[in-house]
């Protein structure tokens, strides 16, 4: 068989060509952060007082070898008047300087190239401050940007509730608007309440006033996902003493949740009844959407808690009826908690009066003796 010899010069040329071809594809990262490293929640980034909305996420990362704040290299391209050229070496150009980044300056985490916060300061000439409570990074490139950034930071520090501070820069879902947005500022009002400014996805900016520690007009976007993950695919028992009267379930009825969604100011729940029939219903949101579910459903079968009660007693509770001889626990399951309780105790006697609106229940030594309406 005839074999054609390839000249040595051609082989050398091909090797060089392959080398340079591959080198242009090398990810500009020489340090790999282990996937099991501690990684914080996403850090909100503000530049000259304006939020940077981006899918590229900034984190605090802590390992035995690498610790600090890490910024995605591509996020720099989204900052005003910053240009990043991703050729080798990477070049970063701002209004005031041009810098290069080599492999030793970068870190690879989750298939994304990062640089440290200190390196960002070095190559851009920017200054900034990471603030722990709102988990936010404030960057500025000018005296005016510094003033705006520090005003935001001071407003956050003055807010009454620490929990409110955690919403800064977060993506939230606004109930009445039925749309998501980002918290771009917060300020303590004259009355001590917190006034949130939210930039919606449609560009509209609204203000929401929180009158308690848990805002009652919005929740985090993450909560809208978490609520389904937490409650879907499990059995619950209806507490009809708390559910709206229009709810189709009966008291202590067992249901299996198949879908849980936040829509407007309501939680939409799809479920399967014990016989297999499908049922859907809504629960109004009262402050915390998770508490709205907890307060309307038992997570364990009440019958397992009180195995000695008769079938007749459980039927009365399911129908939300009361009868003479019931214990306080049985009345609570049937009617819920009273509006008020009056009590008298002596050496051998305990008398209680439970008030439900204009109905008065009378307990004698732990059992329902009578009731009357006024």
């Amino acid at each position: 068989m005839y074999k054609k010899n390839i000249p040595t010069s051609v082989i050398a040329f091909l090797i060089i060509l392959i080398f340079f071809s591959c080198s242009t594809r090398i990810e500009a990262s020489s340090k790999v952060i282990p996937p099991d490293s501690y990684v914080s929640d996403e850090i909100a980034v503000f530049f000259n007082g304006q939020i940077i909305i981006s899918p590229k996420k900034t984190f605090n990362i802590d390992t035995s070898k690498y610790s600090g704040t890490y910024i995605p290299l591509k996020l720099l391209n989204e900052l005003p008047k910053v240009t990043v050229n991703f050729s080798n070496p990477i070049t970063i150009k701002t209004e005031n300087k041009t810098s290069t980044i080599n492999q030793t300056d970068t870190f690879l985490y989750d298939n994304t190239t990062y640089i440290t916060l200190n390196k960002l300061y070095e190559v851009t000439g920017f200054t900034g401050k990471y603030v722990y409570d709102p988990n936010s990074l404030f960057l500025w490139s000018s005296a005016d940007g510094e003033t705006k950034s520090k005003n935001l930071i001071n407003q956050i520090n003055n807010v009454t509730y620490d929990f409110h501070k955690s919403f800064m820069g977060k993506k939230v879902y606004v109930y009445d608007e039925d749309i998501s947005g980002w918290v771009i500022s917060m300020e303590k009002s004259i009355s001590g309440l917190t006034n949130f400014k939210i930039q919606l996805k449609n560009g509209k900016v609204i203000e929401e006033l929180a009158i308690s520690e848990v805002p009652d007009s919005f929740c985090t976007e993450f909560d809208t996902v978490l609520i389904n993950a937490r409650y879907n695919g499990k059995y619950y028992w209806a507490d009809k003493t708390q559910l709206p009267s229009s709810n189709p379930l009966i008291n202590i009825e067992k249901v299996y949740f198949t879908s849980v969604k936040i829509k407007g100011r309501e939680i939409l729940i799809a479920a399967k009844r014990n016989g297999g029939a499908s049922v859907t219903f809504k629960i109004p949101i009262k402050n915390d959407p998770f508490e709205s579910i907890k307060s309307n459903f038992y997570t364990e079968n009440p019958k397992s808690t009180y195995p000695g009660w008769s079938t007749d007693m459980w039927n009365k509770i399911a129908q939300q009826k009361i009868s003479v001889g019931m214990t306080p626990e049985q009345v609570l399951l049937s009617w819920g908690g009273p509006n008020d309780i009056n009590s008298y105790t002596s050496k051998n006697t305990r008398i209680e009066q439970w008030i439900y609106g204009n109905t008065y229940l009378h307990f004698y030594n732990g059992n329902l003796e009578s009731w009357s309406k006024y």
Side-chain angles (χ1 to χ4, degrees):
M1 178 185 289
Y2 174 74
K3 295 178 68 176
K4 184 176 181 180
N5 293 324
I6 301 176
T8 304
S9 59
V10 175
I11 294 175
F13 172 77
L14 291 173
I15 292 173
I16 293 171
L17 181 64
I18 291 170
F19 173 79
F20 280 105
S21 175
C22 292
S23 67
T24 60
R25 294 178 173 84
I26 293 176
E27 175 69 49
S29 177
S30 60
K31 304 184 186 92
V32 178
I33 297 176
D36 59 349
S37 302
Y38 167 78
V39 178
S40 71
D41 291 338
E42 179 184 356
I43 296 173
V45 178
F46 291 79
F47 184 71
N48 289 335
Q50 301 293 318
I51 191 170
I52 303 300
I53 299 171
S54 172
K56 303 169 183 65
K57 303 181 187 301
T58 298
F59 300 110
N60 283 326
I61 298 177
D62 188 12
T63 71
S64 58
K65 196 172 182 182
Y66 310 118
S67 295
T69 303
Y70 290 80
I71 295 90
L73 196 53
K74 289 186 176 180
L75 180 66
L76 273 64
N77 234 3
E78 300 181 20
L79 302 181
K81 298 181 181 180
V82 178
T83 303
V84 181
N85 187 328
F86 289 96
S87 60
N88 198 0
I90 295 172
T91 303
I92 298 174
K93 185 177 181 180
T94 66
E95 283 187 293
N96 301 319
K97 65 186 301 185
T98 299
S99 304
T100 59
I101 291 181
N102 57 41
Q103 289 180 325
T104 59
D105 297 322
T106 60
F107 300 80
L108 187 65
Y109 174 72
D110 195 24
N111 295 321
T112 300
T113 302
Y114 287 82
I115 58 172
T116 65
L117 179 57
N118 287 335
K119 177 57 67 172
L120 180 143
Y121 292 153
E122 177 187 326
V123 299
T124 62
F126 299 157
T127 312
K129 183 176 182 179
Y130 169 74
V131 185
Y132 177 79
D133 282 337
N135 193 32
S136 297
L137 175 63
F138 297 88
L139 302 172
W140 55 84
S141 62
S142 64
D144 180 61
E146 179 179 7
T147 299
K148 291 177 179 177
S149 299
K150 290 186 175 180
N151 282 342
L152 285 178
I153 294 171
N154 288 335
Q155 289 173 0
I156 295 168
N157 291 335
N158 289 330
V159 166
T160 303
Y161 294 110
D162 286 341
F163 182 60
H164 287 178
K165 299 175 184 178
S166 68
F167 285 94
M168 187 64 176
K170 284 280 198 316
K171 190 175 185 181
V172 296
Y173 173 77
V174 183
Y175 302 139
D176 287 342
E177 300 286 338
D178 190 21
I179 192 173
S180 297
W182 292 265
V183 175
I184 58 175
S185 72
M186 61 181 67
E187 189 172 11
K188 183 178 179 179
S189 68
I190 297 175
S191 58
L193 307 178
T194 304
N195 189 48
F196 291 89
K197 190 172 287 187
I198 301 172
Q199 179 180 319
L200 302 178
K201 288 170 63 177
N202 59 15
K204 179 182 176 183
V205 176
I206 63 170
E207 294 187 8
E208 296 289 343
L209 187 67
I211 61 176
S212 61
E213 185 171 6
V214 179
D216 64 353
S217 59
F218 62 87
C219 65
T220 66
E221 179 80 1
F222 179 70
D223 282 344
T224 66
V225 177
L226 180 61
I227 197 166
N228 186 63
R230 179 173 294 180
Y231 293 105
N232 183 30
K234 297 176 183 177
Y235 285 101
Y236 299 92
W237 289 261
D239 183 356
K240 200 60 187 286
T241 69
Q242 300 296 320
L243 285 165
S245 58
S246 59
N247 189 280
L249 303 178
I250 63 173
N251 198 28
I252 67 170
E253 180 179 355
K254 179 181 179 181
V255 288
Y256 181 82
F257 286 4
T258 58
S259 175
V260 182
K261 297 179 180 178
I262 295 176
K263 179 70 173 175
R265 281 191 174 270
E266 296 176 314
I267 301 173
L268 308 182
I269 298 176
K272 292 282 188 182
R273 300 183 111 148
N274 208 25
S278 297
V279 61
T280 59
F281 49 87
K282 302 174 182 177
I283 298 175
I285 295 175
K286 299 177 181 178
N287 290 350
D288 185 347
F290 296 89
E291 288 298 325
S292 297
I293 293 181
K294 289 180 184 178
S295 63
N296 285 281
F297 289 90
Y298 302 103
T299 57
E300 295 183 5
N301 188 351
K303 293 182 180 180
S304 300
T305 306
Y306 304 101
W309 294 357
S310 68
T311 300
D312 179 60
M313 179 57 67
W314 285 115
N315 286 338
K316 288 179 181 177
I317 292 171
Q319 297 169 38
Q320 294 186 269
K321 295 181 178 180
I322 59 173
S323 62
V324 171
M326 273 187 163
T327 65
E329 291 80 11
Q330 291 164 345
V331 173
L332 284 172
L333 280 169
S334 187
W335 276 21
N339 303 119
D340 197 8
I341 295 178
N342 299 314
S343 62
Y344 166 78
T345 303
S346 64
K347 184 177 180 181
N348 299 314
T349 304
R350 178 168 178 79
I351 298 174
E352 289 187 344
Q353 181 187 64
W354 288 16
I355 304 172
Y356 293 84
N358 62 350
T359 302
Y360 291 70
L361 278 59
H362 309 284
F363 290 88
Y364 182 80
N365 286 343
N367 292 101
L368 181 61
E369 187 175 67
S370 64
W371 65 91
S372 54
K373 288 187 177 183
Y374 295 95

